[in-house]
Structure formats: C-alpha cells, structure tokens
Amino acid sequence: LTDRVRGLLSVHAATHPGVRASGQVLSGPPGATLAAAASGSELLVLGAREHRDVDTLTAGTTSHAIVHHATCPVVVV
C-alpha cells in the first residue's frame, strides 16, 4: 500500500475503532479480483468515479460485476 492509503486507513481506524478495514494491492480483472478478495467479508464498499443524478444512475462495468458476483453486501458510493 502507498503511504497515503496507510495514512487514511490509520486515521479512520483511530476515529472508528470498532470498524475493521483493510487495504490490499491486487492485480487482475477488477470485477473477478474484487469479488474473490471480498469473499468472507462483511461488507464491500466501492467508490464510483462519476457523479450522476439518481434518476440516471447506472453501475459501471466493475460495480456491475461485483453487485452480481460478490458473496457479501456491496455499497457503491
């Protein structure tokens, strides 16, 4: 992980001690790789790159794959 990501995780860990978060650097097709990495997780949070109106919100390719293949709840923010 980069120093920036480590720093962000440590800030949130200090602010929210009851929430476990982890970071990994992975390679491979994004949808399949994230779905496999999230196996056994309680929640997977994905960030969306584009800001759209709720009426026209459509999932990107990766979000679409995760929502349909993840074995845990998924939140796209």
Side-chain angles (χ1 to χ4, degrees):
L1 294 177
T2 66
D3 289 338
R4 181 176 177 170
V5 173
R6 282 191 192 97
L8 290 170
L9 286 174
S10 67
V11 167
H12 290 292
T15 308
H16 305 284
V19 177
R20 291 179 294 141
S22 64
Q24 297 177 24
V25 176
L26 305 170
S27 62
T33 302
L34 286 168
S39 178
S41 296
E42 294 178 30
L43 176 68
L44 175 61
V45 180
L46 297 174
R49 293 189 311 166
E50 297 180 16
H51 300 283
R52 302 177 188 184
D53 294 332
V54 174
D55 293 339
T56 60
L57 183 64
T58 58
T61 305
T62 300
S63 297
H64 183 78
I66 291 296
V67 167
H68 290 284
H69 298 291
T71 58
C72 66
V74 176
V75 175
V76 180
V77 296

